[in-house]
Amino acid sequence: MTPEQNKRTVSDAWKAFASHDAARIAAWFTEDAEWLAPQRNATALALGIPDHMIGQKAVVHFLAEMFPKLFVSDVTVDFRSRYCEGNTVIVELRLQALLANGRKYDNDYCFIFELRDGRIARMREYMDTQKGHACIFG
């Protein structure tokens, strides 16, 4: 796939994530997909989930079931930039939302997506973990 097609794949996958529709989300991940986030990040701690999700089912469960329990409304994503080299797409974004505890969440992220056959095989997530903890835990 071309770099533009790979960047479009990630953008379209992100739209599916926002739907919280498990079948729609699953279509964007390989069966053996992995999502790696910083250890002991606030989202994982608040939801009691691992920071390294392995397998399509685990990733889909997080996006469809768990994410909306913490980030309950007004979820907005501002894509700042997208870069592509081969089958790797790097996305910088800002995520804002209203949390279940009534606090506002606002954090910057960098995601690295590794694609295989037009689907996400691996995601690495980077964010300001201290800011995430402050938003979620106060």
Side-chain angles (χ1 to χ4, degrees):
M1 296 176 71
T2 69
E4 286 308 311
Q5 289 171 319
N6 284 338
K7 287 192 277 186
R8 189 172 32 254
T9 293
V10 169
S11 294
D12 290 346
W14 205 277
K15 291 175 189 171
F17 301 170
S19 75
H20 306 298
D21 179 306
R24 190 170 162 202
I25 295 167
W28 292 101
F29 288 95
T30 62
E31 289 290 326
D32 62 343
E34 291 183 70
W35 184 331
L36 293 89
Q39 290 185 338
R40 302 192 46 77
N41 70 80
T43 302
L45 290 174
L47 293 171
I49 60 172
D51 48 50
H52 182 179
M53 293 173 271
I54 301 172
Q56 180 190 64
K57 289 181 182 180
V59 173
V60 170
H61 176 71
F62 168 68
L63 290 168
E65 303 294 329
M66 301 304 287
F67 184 91
K69 289 181 179 182
L70 182 60
F71 299 89
V72 295
S73 67
D74 302 327
V75 178
T76 60
V77 177
D78 176 24
F79 289 94
R80 302 235 166 110
S81 58
R82 286 175 287 186
Y83 307 94
C84 183
E85 179 71 30
N87 289 321
T88 302
V89 179
I90 301 169
V91 177
E92 293 178 295
L93 60 87
R94 178 181 182 191
L95 174 67
Q96 296 177 295
L98 181 64
L99 298 170
N101 63 15
R103 293 189 182 110
K104 291 187 180 186
Y105 186 87
D106 187 352
N107 208 349
D108 296 305
Y109 288 80
C110 180
F111 286 92
I112 301 173
F113 294 86
E114 296 174 25
L115 306 178
R116 185 182 337 122
D117 300 323
R119 295 168 66 196
I120 300 164
R122 185 177 170 125
M123 288 175 65
R124 286 176 282 155
E125 173 184 350
Y126 301 93
M127 91 277 286
D128 182 338
T129 55
Q130 289 182 347
K131 192 173 186 182
H133 279 270
C135 290
I136 292 175
F137 298 112

